[in-house]
Amino acid sequence: SLYPTTLGGFFTGNFKSNTGKYNVTEGFAELVVPLLKDSALGNADLNGAVRVTDYSTSGTVATWKAGLTYEPIPDIKFRVVRSRDIRAPNLQELYAAGASQAVDVTDPLATVNPTRITQITDGNPALKPEKANTLGLGVVVSPRFLPGFSASFDYYNIKMSGAITT
């Protein structure tokens, strides 16, 4: 065989080239508003951001975040952030040329031979961005008696819809 492989010397493929493009236009704004600065209650900031993005393939989406940080003393800082996030499909997810693969499927409760099916993977130019609502809570501890030490403890909860997957 001219092309030795682990499959009896045969090597085949029906490889197609991928082609596709999209255009993205976006604008954004961010803002930090000091609520407390060196007061008897400590320091606090309100922060927010908004981004509007237009994808030529899937339209316009808006994302945003709103957060608050509060530092009652220099040793500890609390954070809370709520956001609306997206992930747009990439070029491969939109325009993959397609591939097929033979896959054996076995019923673990049956004693018969596996069934062979053909799995086809292809791009989908109709995909829309996946969306998520995210909540993040955190605390940063930087004790003054341990110079240079800082530890962050975070919790997050993400609820996603329209996930892009194969």
Side-chain angles (χ1 to χ4, degrees), residues 147-161:
F149 175 82
S150 184
S152 176
F153 304 94
D154 294 284
Y155 164 83
Y156 61 89
N157 184 315
I158 301 171
K159 294 182 180 175
M160 187 184 315
S161 65

Side-chain angles (χ1 to χ4, degrees), residues 12-16 96-103 117-123:
T12 61
N14 185 13
F15 303 105
K16 301 174 187 174
S100 63
Q101 175 181 359
V103 178
I117 63 169
T118 301
Q119 172 184 316
I120 300 172
T121 306
D122 202 356

Side-chain angles (χ1 to χ4, degrees), residues 41-56:
L41 298 175
N43 296 305
D45 290 326
L46 178 67
N47 58 74
V50 65
R51 178 179 303 265
V52 177
T53 309
D54 181 61
Y55 296 94
S56 60

